[in-house]
């Protein structure tokens, strides 16, 4: 049974406009109709606001996002999304059917464990001059596997015709791929799904180009 938390304080999302993990949480909140506050954590300014002692006390991994919700602090985007799915009304982000749910989790793990961590900011700072080629290699490698899987699972969305946590993970990763100049045309299923998702209001309002901390020259 899902519990009503309507009487509690609004969640607070500590994130960065261009962080794909932060965007995942923004999408989930938008799909669920959750009102929340944002506290920007600039990953670049002053060497990175995520490495301050104040933020480390909030998230010991010194990453974004971190969400304060229902009297606790959660990090790791998928844990946050699953918590709000289990406790808030609105569209289900994980299918009721166990087989469909397993497919969603497989796609999420492929992106969140097998692609995104290899091209996040901390890794890129360690790579040096070859960082673009590094990112392109690992995104393309991951997308080859993802394209194969999605050809089998996709309907209108990543798994069938209901939006899910898999879609929440896909769009931000395609955004990253485009930032690193990966030719997404090589992956027609991924490209089509992403185009469909970006037409949804929840994906539009949560887009990196529309956040409070988005630089003016990147706004749309």
């Amino acid at each position: 049974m899902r519990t009503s938390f309507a009487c509690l304080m609004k969640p607070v999302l500590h994130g960065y406009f261009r962080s794909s993990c932060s965007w995942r949480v923004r999408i989930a909140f938008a799909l669920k109709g959750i009102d929340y506050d944002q506290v920007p954590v600039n990953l670049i300014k002053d060497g990175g606001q995520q490495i301050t002692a104040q933020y480390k006390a909030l998230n010991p991994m010194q990453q974004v996002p971190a969400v304060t919700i229902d009297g606790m602090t959660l990090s790791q985007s998928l844990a946050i999304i699953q918590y709000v799915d289990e406790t808030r009304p609105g569209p289900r982000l994980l299918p009721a059917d166990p087989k469909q749910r397993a497919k969603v989790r497989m796609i999420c793990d492929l992106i969140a464990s097998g692609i995104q961590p290899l091209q996040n900011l901390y890794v890129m700072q360690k790579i040096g001059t070859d960082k673009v080629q590094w990112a392109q290699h690992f995104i393309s490698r991951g997308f080859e596997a993802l394209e194969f899987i999605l050809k089998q699972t996709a309907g209108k969305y990543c798994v069938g015709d209901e939006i899910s946590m898999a879609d929440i993970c896909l769009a931000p990763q395609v955004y990253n791929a485009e930032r690193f100049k990966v030719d997404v045309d090589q992956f027609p299923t991924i490209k089509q799904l992403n185009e469909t998702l970006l037409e949804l209001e929840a994906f539009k309002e949560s887009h990196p180009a529309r956040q409070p901390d988005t630089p003016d020259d990147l706004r749309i």
Side-chain angles (χ1 to χ4, degrees):
M1 179 180 295
R2 299 188 178 210
T3 306
S4 173
F5 287 86
C7 62
L8 298 181
M9 294 179 62
K10 289 193 294 185
V12 178
L13 168 61
H14 301 257
Y16 182 57
F17 79 100
R18 200 156 58 185
S19 155
S20 60
C21 298
S22 299
W23 189 10
R24 293 173 195 161
V25 175
R26 296 196 302 264
I27 296 168
F29 281 175
L31 287 169
K32 287 283 191 177
I34 297 172
D35 188 23
Y36 65 101
D37 292 324
Q38 291 200 57
V39 176
V41 179
N42 194 305
L43 303 184
I44 306 296
K45 186 178 180 181
D46 301 324
Q49 294 174 347
Q50 75 279 14
I51 65 172
T52 64
Q54 181 181 7
Y55 188 74
K56 186 176 181 180
L58 191 68
N59 184 350
M61 275 295 286
Q62 300 174 285
Q63 297 173 336
V64 292
V67 170
T68 55
I69 184 169
D70 301 341
M72 63 179 175
T73 301
L74 293 175
S75 60
Q76 301 302 321
S77 61
L78 299 190
I80 296 165
I81 293 166
Q82 290 179 73
Y83 177 74
V84 299
D85 194 37
E86 292 167 356
T87 61
R88 265 60 177 183
R92 184 183 291 275
L93 303 179
L94 282 164
D97 178 75
K99 291 183 178 180
Q100 296 293 85
R101 191 162 64 245
K103 292 174 185 178
V104 168
R105 286 175 168 152
M106 173 178 64
I107 293 166
C108 291
D109 284 347
L110 191 158
I111 294 170
S113 299
I115 304 176
Q116 186 273 328
L118 292 164
Q119 36 91 93
N120 69 14
L121 178 64
Y122 185 80
V123 171
M124 291 294 96
Q125 289 172 336
K126 297 294 184 181
I127 297 301
T129 57
D130 294 330
K131 61 185 179 181
V132 173
Q133 292 88 344
W134 169 280
Q136 289 174 342
H137 170 77
F138 284 105
I139 293 171
S140 296
R141 180 176 180 270
F143 273 17
E144 287 175 5
L146 187 57
E147 177 74 12
F148 180 83
I149 291 169
L150 290 173
K151 283 180 179 178
Q152 301 172 63
T153 64
K156 183 177 180 181
Y157 301 115
C158 284
V159 179
D161 295 326
E162 299 295 330
I163 201 159
S164 72
M165 192 165 67
D167 302 287
I168 291 172
C169 289
L170 180 69
Q173 186 54 58
V174 176
Y175 175 81
N176 281 346
E178 293 172 342
R179 282 182 57 217
F180 286 109
K181 310 300 183 186
V182 173
D183 180 12
V184 181
D185 288 342
Q186 304 173 79
F187 312 105
T189 310
I190 291 173
K191 181 180 179 181
Q192 180 58 57
L193 287 166
N194 184 63
E195 289 174 352
T196 298
L197 293 169
L198 294 183
E199 290 299 314
L200 300 177
E201 188 58 35
F203 287 75
K204 290 180 179 179
E205 69 179 65
S206 61
H207 193 278
R210 296 187 174 185
Q211 301 314 302
D213 57 328
T214 305
D216 289 340
D217 60 335
L218 297 178
R219 289 189 173 276
I220 58 172

